[in-house]
Structures are given as C-alpha cells and as structure tokens.
C-alpha cells in the first residue's frame, strides 16, 4: 500500500533514514494477467537503478552503499484491461499524478490508444512489449519510444534462418489474433520481396477466440481442418507463431493429434521463443514424449554483461520482494488471475526469459540517464519540469550498451537491438543461441547446428535437405526451380507415395458418380444420396436440382420428384411429401406451393394455413360429388347430383335424373337447360317453362297454354258420365260379353297403375322407358303434364293438394251431376240419375284408381336418401324430409291416407262382409255395392277387397326402402307373386277368359318388374338392349292378352245386339249331350250311402278331389235343392233369393217378384223343374228393372201352367 501511495519517503523519514534526493515518478502501464511477473521487470529495473546495481548511470552520484543520490525513481503502476480505450484513461491518470513518463503499455492495441492521447498530453511513453509495426508511425505516435523490436524485425530473422539453411518451402501455423497474425503478414511480404533466395510458404491460421480456447469439441471442428491443410502439402519445415496465451494449448493439440510431425523428417521454428516458457514446454514434451531437438526459436536480446548482471539480480529476489501489484498470490494463481513461480524456481532463473525484463530495464535506464543529462545541462531546472519534448529529445540522443544489446533509437524511435536465434541442442528444451542477428548486420553463426536423424542426435556443419516428400493425394511439381508438393486438384486423387514424389506425377480422375471437392485427397468420395456426378473428374458432387432427388449413392443422374412430393432446395435424397390429401400439379415440383389438393379433395377455408404453411385445408369431397382432378377450389358435381354450399361446407343432394342435374366441374351451371339453378336438386323449371318428362319446355304463347288443362277437364267430365252408364248394367251370374269387355278394361287400367308404381321406384330408367314412366305418372294425378305451370305458379304444397283433391272433386262432381240430372234429364226425355247408381259410380272410380289413390296419399312418406345423410321427397326433391315444408305435406298425406287408403278400404271391406245378409234386408244395398261384386263368381264375391289389399301393398313399395331399388323390386315381386298364386288358386273372375287374362297380366308384370331390377345398376351396351327387348315383349304380351279379351267381349256384345246366336248349333248339341247325363249321375249318387260316398272320394286323386269339391261348392251356391224336391233358383251374386214352386199362379209369381225386387231387381232368374228333367221356362230381364209386370207380359202362359 505504501509503495502505491507514494508514502515511502514519509515512512523513511519517521525511521530516521530520510534522503534529500528528489523523487522522480515513472508511470507503469501493464497487466498481471498474462505471463509470469509481467511487471516484475519494471520493479526490478527501478530497484536496480535506485541501488546502482546491474549498471550505473553515467555522471550520476551514488552513495557509499550504491544508492543513487541525484534522485530516487518511484514506479506508479496502473493495470490496463483488454479494452483499447483504456489506454487513454491510463495516460490521463498518469498525467494527473505527475508522472514524468510512462513505461508501457503491455499490448499493442492498448498502446496505440494510449500513445495517441500521450501525443496530445506530451507524455513520453517507453514501450517494452508492444511489437506492432504500426507504432513506428511517428506522425501518430510522436512521443512513443520502443525498446522491443517490431514484429517485422523478428520476421526478418526467421526468413534469414530459412535462407541460411537453404530451405525453399515451409509451412506457417499461426493464431489469427494479436501479433501472430501480423507476423504472418510480414513473413509473406518478405517472401515476395526477397530475390536472392526463392522460397514458398503455406500459411494457415487458427481461430484464437475465447469461444474456441478450452473447448476441445470446437478445436477439433475448427483447428484440425486448418492443420490438415498444412500436413497435406508435404512441407517438412514448420514455422509456428503463437501468442503466449495460446502456446501451451496449441502445442498440446499438435503433440496429441499429430505426433508424426515431430519425427526425424520435420524441423520446427518458433517465431518468438520468449513465449515458449521453456520450463512448461519441457514438461509438456516430456509428458507427451515429443522430441523438439533441433527446433529453432527467436528472442530479442543478447548475452551482454548488463543482461547477466540483471539476471543475477533477478535470482536473488523472492515473491515477497515485489509489490502487491506485481506479486501473484497462490489464491490468484489458482483462480487464473495471474501466473506464479515459487521462490525456488525464481532462484534458478525460471521466468527470466519471459517477463520482458531486458527491454524494461533498458527503458528505465534510458529514462533515468536522460534526466541526469538534462540536470547537468540545466542545473537550475526543477525536476518537475523534466517532461514532454525536453525529455523526449534527450532520450532520442542516447546510445548505450544495455541488457538487449546496443540501445540506439532510429528514425522511427525504435530500437532493434540484437536477436538471438535459439536452438534446442539438448532434450527436452535445452536452448542455446546458435545465430545472432544485429539490426545493422546479418545472421551470424555462433555455434554448430544440431538436428535429428534416424540414428539419433548428430552435429553437422550444414542443415539437412528438407525438400518436400509428397504424400498420397499430392504430386511433385517443379515451379520456377522450386520443387513443391502440389495437391491433386479437386476431382482427382493419388494414393501412392512413391508415384506422388516423382516429378510430374499425375493424379487419377474421379469416376462418374464419385467426386472429390478437396485438393490433395487419396481417393474419391462416392456421391451421397441427393447428389450426382455426371462426368469423370467432377470436383464435387452436384446436388440434385430443385424438383429432383436421388435416393441412392454413387449415381450420375437425378430423378424428378414423383407426384405428391417436391424438393424446394437442391440436394434432396428424398423428396418431401406434400402431406395427406395433397399432390403436386406435375412431377418434378420444386416449391411447396406446387402442392395442391389431390383428386377427391378440394381447397376449403382458404384463409387458414395447414401444417406445412399452405393456404387452405384439403377437404375430402363429400360423398356423391365428383373431384376427378387435383387443385380444385370446389368439389365437382356429377350428373344426377346437386351441390349446394352451406355454412358447414358443400352438401350433396341426389337428383331424380341425370338430365335435371347436369355434370358441372365449377358449380356454375348445375341444372339442365331452362331449370332454376337455385331450387334444390333443380326440381323446378324456370318461369315460363313447364315439365315435359325430364326436360323443361317453353310455355306456349297466348292462351294456348291453358288448352291442355281445359281439354283434360272436359275429358274428365265426359269420362265420369260414361262411367255412370257403363258401371250400372244389371247384375247376372252369367258373364255376358259386355261384362267381359268392361272387366278387361278394368284389368288393363289396374296393370297400367301397377306399371306407374315402377316409375316411383328408385330405379334409373333409360330411354325410352323413362318417357313411358313419365307418361304413366298421369295416373298418379300428376298435373305437371297438363302445363299447369304455364297457367299458375305452383308450389309443391299446391301441387300435392291438387293431386289429393282429385278424388274428392270426383265425388263432388258426381253429386253435382246427380243434382243436375233432376232438371236436365226430363227435358231431354232421359231417365234421371239414381242415387244408388251414382254412389256405385263413385265407388267404381275410386276402386279402379285405388293404386293411384294410395300412391298419391303416400307421396309425403316417400323419401329417398342423399349422400349427405339427408333425404328428400321423391316427387318433390326440393322438399327435405323432416323440414317444415315436409311437415305440412305429411299432415295432408296422413289425412289422404286415412280417407283414401284406409277409410275407403275399410268401407269396402265392411260392405263385402255384410253383403250376404244386407242384400236381403236393404232393398238397394246391391246397387250401392255393385262395383264390389258384379265381376266375380258368386262364391268369390269378396275378391274386390282382396284386390284392394294387393293395390295398397303395391302402392306401399315406393316408400319402403326408398334408397334401395333392389329391395323395392324384390318386395314388388313378392307381392305380385303371392297374389298371382292366390289368383290361380281361387279363380275369382266369372269367366275362364277373365281369369286367364288376369293371370297373364300378372305374369307379364312379374317379368317387367324382374327385368326392371337390372336398371338399378349401370347397364350399357348389348346387355341394355337385351333387357329392353324383354320389357318390350312383356308389355306387348300384356296388352295383347287384354286386347284379345276386349275384342272377344265386344264381338259377343255385337252378336247379341244384332240378334245373332251367341252359341253355334254344334256347341249347343254338345252341351245338351253332356247335360243329359246329369240327372242319371245325381240318381246314382243319391242311392249311395254317406260312407260309400266317402270311400269313393278318398279313392280319387288330389286334383280330382279338388274338382269334386268345386262342383259341390258350385251346386251348393248356384242351385239349392230343398228336401221336398222342389227346385229353387238362386242368385247369390245379388244376394237375393227367389223361390217359385209348382202351383204358383201368375198372381203368386207377380207378388213374390214384387216383394223381392221392389221393381229394381237387376238379375237373371232361371226357373227349372228338376223333376221334369228339363227346362220349362226361362225369363230374363235385360233392362235391369226386374219388373214383374214385364216378365208376366212376356211369359204369362208358362207361369200359369207351372
């Protein structure tokens, strides 16, 4: 503390040893965190001057004990940091403390900043370790003197060593920081400037930053490639230039990884031996078994008397003799703050070569000598005024023999001094000076050189030949008289040392698929996956261009990325996948933007980016849509489907036809021509158009658009009038020709209605059957065919309401006709309409169209499924099942079903059940229910209700399994087949011809329905033609059978009307012969007992038993034989019984007829005498009146006789 505070004189005064000598303060700028005792030399030098030891000042006064009496030097230390700007702060502080001059600073970077500020403050600075040649610029650093040689001088020494040994090639390894980097530049400049000796250097710099120091991983990554470059050129002379801070670490790295570099064939030179710290390097070489024998080192200074005296003084000191500023405590050394030598080591001279003691002593001596000289020249000058220009000029005049040799400042205010070229002459680190270099002279040998050879250490007169030995990967080339190992060029290699060392040796070119990007290699590298080499001698594997890849190594061509992948950067071994549901627009895609949604997907939510950064999300096209190609913004609409965009995405609806909804790839034109694009499923024509099958036709102009409606209404009214007169003919158990004709027409109507059900199935009909099915919809009260849309704009609700009102309107019209007949018929002299017949006409129409009634009523229940999970009404696809609109239709459908489907059927069923009894109790019951019973045999009077069950089941088919055409077809086949079997079993119709006709129609319907199942699938070509032919043949056969029956019935009616015989004579004789045997058969049977009859019955076959049962049933129902033997005629078809017996006179017959028929008995009554065995009389009333008077008038004598 006293040392630093300047209190030594005060303490000395208190001790009684006060000196009258003035104090001369010398600033010191350095750092202790470097090599050992960096400031030791400064304190040792001040001590030597103050005590007169080592070398005394000229013209100075010394006391008897050697103490300088002219003045006493006092060191004012200040440690600088690594910041260059800290140099300015040093000078400022020294100036404020009154220092006359500054010794330092330690580093060139800090010194430059301090010297710049020193020029402004006129503060003389004496350099002892800053070696940057830039400090020789006296325009910038005019108050800076330097007693250490600039790096250019050391470089000159090293070049002269190379020249002296006759070497023409060397490697230089240096650290890219501090003086070492500059040293390399000076050597390389001298290489160019020297003309007296040709030599070539190969230079490689190491990263010396703190990030690398102490980090073995980074050292391997950054240092090894640099050193490998030098190793590869074959040079055997290595110049190693390292700052002290890196010396041990770099050498350890070299010794460990490259021990062969320190064998007999290599020589090493260290640019600044002062940094080697021989003691530590000796320990390192011993630890790693490295022999540096023959290695050179360069150090400034010489073996002068001053240096020997200074070194002796150094060895007498201990750590305790130095100030706290200079001394390094064990704790500080352990923390890495400084380097410490123990007292024993100091006593042996350790550290004397590494503390810059020589230039520090010469600097302190020059400063003190200049002060002595100034005081002698100007005795009255105050010592405090000795500074600035006065001090600088005096110091520049000095010349003396110092510790570094001759001290003499040149024009740049530098002192080169003397260099000693050291060589290791005894292992491991026995340095001796073998050359001396003086700034004014050249390299002078001092002792023989020592080198390594294969036999051991040998002293020779000259340096051995260290010409390059080319290694594999090189070739020896003579360049301007210099043999140099040049590395094989990239794209080639060599792997033979002998061949490589032969001048002009050639390197081998790399084969295609291999390359060598580096020079000086022993082999070529196979191109890794993702790169190729197309030609021989490729210096590097070319990365596969963007859009290509190569997954295999050692290839010469790249491949385009397949669809769905891309390669955005060169060098892809595998192309990147676009991701799920994405594909590229083309093979060889290079950008991620080339990835688009794959076929079957479309780009949804474009404002959102997916996981790879692409705009939009690939949404799978909904079921039923058609996304054939990639890069779609919307799903495509196939024919027969309708796409609609909603908040939840695209919805797909199935249309009823491929004509109504056309294929659309851009969802712009979704509907067929003239259809409303905004109506769901294109279910409605545009305004001004009406539905024609699957097309929309333009409405006729003017009033002609209403003509179809008017025409149909008129035809409808006319048909109702005709129906009244046709359906109210007399009831007879004998099927007349007229009956056969009318019933055949009814069968045809039923068949057509059954065919219209096929149009309601989920079967896609093709032309021409689609047109036929469209026409058949007229029987389902489809008003679209009447061009109603051209007259009034209708909604699905209105159209359905119009359909279900048709049957009710029919009833209302009949009631109106009935009322109108009361007034009109008398005027035209025609019978007025009777109410029972009017009701019968209503029932006839409803029963004839019962399939249609049921179909219309069930329309709201007939839904078909869409691909999106919703369903629509088959007839009105724009109505979604379950929606509010559908609810309204359901209400109407339920009412219509209850009235038409269930109500009418229940009424008919009840009428059939009570007919046998009610026909006798109610006079007009038979006429009311005529439409139920008049077509069937007496014992099958109930068949009308069975036909209604069949009709209702047929109408139910379209609403069962609405989206499964195959299931619908199977269900319809089952219904038809079951009722066909029952039909064949009971034969309900009055004539065999009608039974055959109905059976044939049912068979043809089965064929048509069976073939229709084919159309539930996509059938094309010859198969379609075959199935079409089958349906056509079935239709033709069906209509041919019905037409034949109708023709036969019409012919019979004509014969009767014309009075022709209904049966020819031959048939009449054959019938009489067969009937003549009947009485005999009855007599035989009458004689048999019941047991015998049962025996005979059991011996018959099943079919014969059935015939017998049918005969008995017919006799029981058609003829009733009383116990008294009287013959009774029965008319079960009318459910009225008339019994006449022998002895009844005309009056009795008239009374019985009147009581039974009340004038309206519409039946044919036959009276036979069973006992007479023949027919006595036949009375027929064809007018339908059953009037007794009419019968009496016609046959009065016969009845009287009976």
């Amino acid at each position: 503390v006293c040392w630093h505070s300047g209190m030594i004189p005060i303490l000395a005064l208190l001790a009684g040893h006060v000196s009258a000598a003035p104090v001369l303060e010398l600033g010191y700028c350095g750092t202790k965190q470097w090599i050992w005792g960096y400031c030791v030399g400064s304190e040792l030098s001040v001590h030597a001057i103050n005590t007169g030891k080592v070398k005394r000042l000229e013209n100075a006064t010394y006391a008897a004990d050697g103490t300088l009496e002219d003045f006493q030097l006092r060191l004012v230390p200040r440690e600088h940091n690594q910041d260059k700007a800290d140099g300015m702060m040093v000078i400022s502080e020294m100036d404020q403390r009154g220092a006359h001059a500054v010794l330092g600073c330690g580093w060139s970077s800090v010194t430059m900043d301090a010297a710049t500020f020193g020029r402004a403050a006129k503060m003389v600075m004496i350099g002892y370790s800053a070696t940057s040649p830039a400090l020789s610029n006296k325009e910038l650093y005019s108050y800076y003197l330097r007693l250490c040689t600039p790096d250019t001088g050391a470089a000159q020494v090293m070049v002269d060593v190379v020249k002296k040994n006759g070497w023409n090639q060397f490697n230089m390894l240096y650290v890219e920081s501090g003086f070492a980097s500059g040293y390399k530049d000076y050597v390389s400049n001298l290489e160019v400037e020297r003309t007296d000796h040709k030599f070539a250097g190969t230079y490689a710099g190491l990263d010396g930053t703190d990030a690398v120091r102490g980090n073995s991983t980074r050292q391997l990554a950054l240092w090894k490639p640099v050193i490998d470059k030098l190793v590869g050129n074959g040079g055997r002379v290595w110049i190693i230039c390292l700052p002290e801070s890196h010396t041990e670490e770099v050498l350890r790295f070299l010794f460990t990884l490259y021990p062969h570099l320190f064998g007999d064939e290599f020589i090493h030179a260290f640019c600044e031996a002062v940094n080697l710290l021989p003691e530590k390097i000796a320990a390192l070489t011993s630890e790693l078994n490295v022999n540096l024998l023959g290695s050179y080192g360069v150090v400034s200074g010489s073996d002068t008397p001053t240096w020997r005296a200074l070194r002796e003084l150094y060895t007498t000191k201990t750590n305790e003799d130095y100030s706290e500023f200079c001394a390094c405590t064990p704790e500080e050394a352990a923390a890495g703050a400084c380097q410490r030598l123990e007292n024993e080591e100091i006593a042996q001279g350790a550290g004397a070569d590494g503390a810059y003691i020589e230039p520090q002593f010469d600097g302190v001596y020059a400063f003190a000598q200049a002060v002595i000289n100034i005081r002698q020249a100007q005795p009255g000058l105050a010592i405090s005024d000795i500074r600035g220009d006065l001090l600088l000029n005096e110091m520049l005049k000095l010349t003396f023999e110092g510790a570094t040799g001759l001290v003499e400042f040149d024009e740049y205010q530098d002192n080169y001094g003397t260099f000693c070229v050291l060589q290791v002459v005894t292992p491991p680190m026995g340095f001796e000076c073998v050359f001396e270099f003086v700034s004014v002279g050249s390299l002078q040998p001092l002792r023989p050189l020592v080198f390594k050879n294969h036999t051991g250490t040998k002293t020779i007169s000259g340096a051995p030949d260290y010409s390059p030995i080319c290694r594999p990967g090189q070739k020896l080339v003579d360049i301007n008289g210099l043999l140099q190992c040049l590395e094989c060029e990239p794209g080639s290699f060599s792997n033979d040392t002998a061949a490589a060392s032969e001048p002009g040796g050639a390197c081998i070119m790399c084969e295609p698929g291999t390359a060598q990007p580096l020079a000086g290699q022993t082999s070529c590298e196979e191109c890794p996956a993702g790169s190729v080499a197309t030609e021989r001698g490729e210096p590097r594997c070319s990365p596969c261009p963007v859009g290509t890849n190569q997954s295999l190594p050692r290839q010469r061509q790249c491949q385009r990325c397949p669809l769905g992948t891309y390669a955005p950067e060169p060098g892809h071994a595998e192309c990147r996948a676009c991701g799920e549901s994405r594909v590229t627009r083309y093979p060889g895609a290079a950008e991620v933007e080339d990835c688009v949604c794959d076929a079957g997907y479309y780009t949804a939510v474009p404002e959102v980016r997916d996981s790879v950064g692409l705009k939009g999300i690939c949404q799978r096209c909904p079921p039923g849509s058609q996304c054939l190609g990639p890069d779609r913004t919307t799903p495509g609409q196939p024919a027969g489907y309708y796409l609609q965009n909603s908040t939840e995405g695209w919805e797909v609806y199935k249309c009823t036809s491929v004509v109504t909804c056309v294929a659309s790839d851009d969802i712009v034109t979704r509907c067929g021509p003239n259809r409303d694009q905004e109506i769901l499923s294109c279910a409605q024509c545009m305004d001004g158009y009406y539905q024609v099958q699957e097309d929309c036709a333009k409405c006729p102009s003017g009033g002609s658009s209403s003509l179809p409606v008017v025409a149909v209404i008129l035809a409808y009214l006319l048909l109702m009038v005709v129906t009244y007169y046709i359906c109210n003919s007399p009831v007879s158990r004998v099927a007349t020709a007229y009956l056969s004709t009318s019933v055949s027409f009814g069968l045809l109507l039923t068949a057509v209605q059954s065919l219209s059900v096929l149009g309601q199935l989920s079967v896609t009909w093709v032309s021409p059957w689609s047109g036929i099915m469209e026409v058949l919809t007229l029987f389902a009260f489809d008003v679209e065919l009447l061009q109603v849309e051209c007259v009034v704009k209708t909604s699905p609700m209105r159209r359905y309401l119009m359909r279900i009102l048709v049957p009710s309107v029919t009833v209302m019209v009949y009631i109106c006709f009935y009322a109108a007949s009361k007034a009109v018929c008398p005027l035209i002299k025609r019978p007025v309409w009777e109410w029972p017949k009017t009701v019968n006409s209503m029932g006839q129409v409803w029963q004839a169209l019962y399939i249609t009634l049921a179909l219309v009523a069930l329309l709201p229940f007939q839904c078909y499924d869409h691909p999106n999970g919703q369903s629509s009404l088959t007839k009105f696809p724009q109505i979604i099942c379950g929606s509010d609109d559908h609810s309204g239709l359901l209400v109407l459908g339920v009412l219509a079903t209850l009235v038409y489907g269930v109500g009418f059927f229940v009424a008919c069923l009840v009428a059939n059940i009570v007919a046998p009894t009610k026909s006798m109790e109610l006079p007009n019951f038979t006429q009311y229910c005529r439409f139920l019973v008049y077509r069937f045999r007496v014992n099958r009077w109930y068949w009308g209700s069975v036909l209604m069950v069949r009709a209702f089941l047929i109408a139910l088919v379209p609403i069962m399994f609405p989206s499964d055409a195959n299931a619908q077809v199977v269900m319809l086949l089952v219904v038809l087949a079951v009722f066909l079997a029952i039909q064949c079993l009971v034969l309900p119709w009055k004539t065999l011809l009608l039974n055959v006709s109905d059976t044939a129609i049912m068979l043809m319907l089965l064929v048509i329905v069976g073939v229709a199942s084919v159309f539930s699938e996509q059938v094309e070509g010859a198969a379609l033609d075959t199935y079409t032919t089958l349906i056509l043949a079935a239709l033709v056969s069906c209509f041919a059978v019905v037409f034949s029956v109708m023709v036969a019935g019409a012919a019979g009616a004509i014969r009767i009307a014309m009075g022709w015989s209904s049966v020819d004579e031959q048939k009449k004789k054959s019938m009489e012969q067969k009937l003549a045997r009947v009485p005999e058969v009855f007599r035989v049977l009458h004689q048999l007992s019941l047991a015998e009859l049962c025996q005979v019955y059991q011996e018959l076959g099943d079919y014969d038993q059935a015939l017998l049962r049918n005969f008995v049933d017919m006799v029981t129902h058609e003829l009733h034989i009383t116990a008294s033997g009287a013959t009774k005629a029965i008319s079960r078809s009318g459910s009225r019984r008339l019994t006449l017996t022998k002895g009844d006179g005309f009056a009795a017959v008239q009374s019985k007829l009147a009581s039974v028929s009340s004038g309206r008995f519409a039946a044919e009554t036959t009276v036979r005498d069973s006992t007479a065995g023949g027919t006595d009389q036949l009375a027929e009333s064809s007018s339908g009146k059953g009037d007794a008077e009419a019968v009496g008038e016609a046959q009065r004598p016969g009845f009287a006789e009976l």
Side-chain angles (χ1 to χ4, degrees), residues 1126-1127 1139-1150 1152 1167-1169 1171 1176 1196-1202:
T1127 301
T1139 303
L1140 303 179
T1141 61
K1142 290 184 177 181
D1144 285 341
F1146 180 78
V1149 172
Q1150 182 180 21
K1152 290 181 180 182
V1167 181
R1168 290 183 174 87
D1169 182 7
T1171 57
D1176 296 323
R1196 181 177 295 179
F1199 279 96
E1201 184 175 334
L1202 284 171

Side-chain angles (χ1 to χ4, degrees), residues 502-571:
E502 291 293 331
C507 297
I508 304 171
M509 305 292 286
C510 294
E511 293 296 325
T514 65
Q516 183 48 258
L518 302 177
Q521 300 302 305
T522 59
S523 64
C524 292
E525 300 174 353
E526 67 177 19
C527 293
S531 62
V532 295
T534 57
E535 304 292 339
R536 294 182 72 250
E538 291 285 352
R540 59 182 51 83
C541 296
S542 301
C544 290
V546 294
T548 64
N549 77 307
Q550 179 51 259
S551 58
L552 300 176
R554 205 180 180 89
Q555 299 299 309
R556 61 189 305 171
Q557 288 184 343
C558 297
Q559 299 174 342
R560 290 194 303 170
C561 291
L563 289 175
T565 62
Y566 67 98
E569 301 93 12

Side-chain angles (χ1 to χ4, degrees), residues 141-161:
Y141 315 112
S142 56
Y143 285 81
Y144 181 76
L145 297 89
R146 179 161 49 185
L147 283 159
C148 57
T149 305
D151 292 335
T152 51
Q156 179 68 60
V157 175
M158 188 58 67
V159 170
D160 277 4
V161 170

Side-chain angles (χ1 to χ4, degrees), residues 856-1063:
V856 172
L858 295 173
L859 275 182
F861 303 95
Q862 187 177 347
C863 297
Y864 70 95
D865 294 333
H866 293 300
N868 62 359
Q870 297 180 339
S871 57
S872 286
L873 289 179
T874 303
K875 189 58 185 175
F876 306 114
Q878 65 269 45
I879 301 297
I880 298 297
C881 294
S883 64
D884 294 339
D885 294 337
H886 183 225
S887 299
L889 291 175
L890 281 176
V891 172
L892 295 178
V894 170
L895 293 175
T897 303
L898 292 176
V899 175
Y900 302 145
V902 178
F904 180 59
F905 170 73
V906 170
C908 293
L909 181 62
V910 171
N912 259 329
I913 293 174
V914 302
T917 58
K918 292 297 182 181
S919 61
M920 300 181 63
E921 298 174 2
L922 300 177
N924 295 325
F925 183 82
T926 303
Q927 188 60 57
Y928 280 111
C929 302
R930 182 183 185 278
F931 67 92
L932 287 174
V933 298
Y934 82 101
R935 296 166 292 174
F936 311 112
R937 293 166 49 201
V938 175
N939 59 333
R940 301 290 186 262
W941 83 96
Y942 54 82
W943 193 252
S945 297
V946 176
L947 291 181
M948 292 181 70
V949 172
R950 184 184 73 181
F952 191 78
L953 291 177
I954 290 175
L956 277 177
V957 170
I959 68 172
M960 303 296 291
F961 315 104
S963 298
D964 191 344
N966 290 324
Q968 290 178 332
V969 169
V970 170
M971 183 176 178
L972 189 55
L973 286 173
V974 170
V975 171
L976 292 176
V978 169
F979 281 92
L980 174 61
I982 299 174
Q983 151 79 22
C984 295
L985 182 63
V986 301
L987 298 175
W989 303 98
K990 280 192 174 181
T991 67
L992 179 62
L993 189 59
L994 288 176
N995 283 304
V996 172
S997 177
D998 192 16
T999 302
I1001 291 174
M1002 294 281 284
L1003 285 173
M1004 295 305 105
L1005 286 176
L1006 281 171
V1007 173
I1008 294 173
V1009 172
V1011 177
S1013 63
V1014 177
F1015 292 95
S1016 62
E1017 307 292 339
Q1018 296 296 328
V1019 181
E1020 297 178 353
L1024 178 62
D1025 295 338
T1026 301
Y1027 293 126
T1028 301
T1029 303
L1030 287 175
I1031 293 181
L1032 181 62
L1035 281 175
V1036 171
S1037 301
C1038 180
F1039 284 102
V1041 170
V1042 176
F1043 184 73
S1044 300
V1045 175
M1046 293 176 64
V1047 169
I1054 292 173
R1055 286 197 301 268
I1056 294 173
M1058 298 300 295
W1060 302 336
S1061 175
S1062 59
V1063 183

Side-chain angles (χ1 to χ4, degrees), residues 212-512:
V212 179
R213 293 185 61 191
N215 189 328
S216 59
T217 302
R218 293 184 64 85
Q219 288 174 2
L220 282 174
L222 299 177
W223 288 1
K224 190 174 187 302
V226 174
I227 299 173
D228 287 343
K229 174 184 176 183
L230 295 180
V231 173
N233 72 359
R236 293 189 287 169
V237 178
W238 285 65
I239 298 176
I240 301 174
C241 194
L242 307 171
E244 189 280 335
S245 57
H246 293 74
T247 299
E248 182 177 355
E249 188 171 20
V250 174
L251 287 180
R252 181 179 289 276
F253 186 85
L254 286 172
F255 294 166
T256 303
L257 268 69
Y258 302 94
H260 69 282
L261 293 180
F262 302 92
D264 295 341
E265 297 179 348
F266 294 88
I267 188 67
H268 307 87
F270 299 93
C271 66
E272 202 170 19
V274 69
N275 292 332
L276 289 179
L277 292 179
E279 295 80 3
K280 292 187 179 294
I281 299 302
L284 181 63
T285 56
S286 176
E287 173 191 343
L288 299 177
N289 193 26
V290 174
N291 186 1
L292 291 179
L293 183 68
S295 298
Y296 285 105
V298 179
V299 65
S300 75
S302 182
D303 188 13
T304 64
T306 304
W307 164 236
R308 288 193 294 270
L310 183 61
R311 184 182 182 89
E312 184 178 353
L313 177 64
Y314 169 80
T315 59
T316 63
K317 300 299 179 183
T318 64
N319 281 289
E320 290 74 16
D321 293 324
Y322 296 105
S323 68
E324 182 182 353
F325 179 82
C326 284
C328 182
T329 65
E331 293 76 17
E332 290 176 324
C338 56
Q339 293 183 354
R340 175 182 173 87
L341 290 177
E342 299 302 329
N343 292 336
E344 295 79 6
E345 296 177 298
I346 297 174
Q348 296 175 3
D353 296 328
Y356 292 98
I357 296 176
E358 304 98 314
Q360 287 179 350
F361 175 83
D362 288 348
V364 174
Y365 185 90
F367 169 69
Q369 186 64 60
V371 172
I372 293 292
N373 293 345
I374 292 173
R375 293 191 69 182
Q376 276 192 343
Q378 302 180 42
L381 183 65
I383 198 169
S384 59
D385 294 332
I386 301 176
R387 62 180 64 248
D389 292 332
L390 180 62
L391 180 61
L392 175 66
N393 293 330
E394 187 62 34
M395 291 183 68
L396 291 175
K397 298 175 185 179
L398 295 176
T399 300
F400 62 91
E401 186 73 26
T404 60
L406 179 64
V407 176
E408 183 179 34
F409 296 103
D410 61 12
E411 57 182 316
Y412 302 108
Q413 302 176 183
D414 290 330
N415 175 56
Y416 268 69
T418 302
F419 282 94
C420 182
V421 179
L422 304 175
Q423 190 181 39
V424 180
V425 295
T426 57
M429 286 294 289
F431 277 109
E432 290 189 14
C433 189
V434 295
F435 290 104
E436 187 178 64
F437 184 90
V438 184
S439 59
V440 295
S442 61
L443 201 65
Q444 299 297 326
L446 300 179
R447 65 177 64 247
L449 303 179
V450 176
F451 297 97
K452 290 180 294 186
N453 61 19
H454 296 290
T455 60
T457 304
K458 182 176 72 173
T459 302
I460 59 177
S461 59
D465 180 16
Y466 281 110
S467 298
I469 298 178
C470 298
R471 62 173 178 79
Q474 297 178 327
K475 59 183 178 180
L476 190 63
V477 180
D478 188 339
I479 301 177
N480 297 327
L482 293 178
L483 288 176
Q484 298 185 40
C485 287
L486 297 184
E487 295 179 335
C488 290
E489 295 83 359
S492 63
F493 71 98
S494 68
N495 53 15
D496 187 347
T497 302
S501 299
E502 291 293 331
C507 297
I508 304 171
M509 305 292 286
C510 294
E511 293 296 325

Side-chain angles (χ1 to χ4, degrees), residues 4 84 126 235 351 479 503 687 728 753 776 826 950 1016 1124 1201:
H4 286 173
K84 294 189 295 182
I126 306 168
I479 301 177
D687 292 343
N728 288 289
Q753 292 181 81
L776 292 177
R950 184 184 73 181
S1016 62
S1124 59
E1201 184 175 334

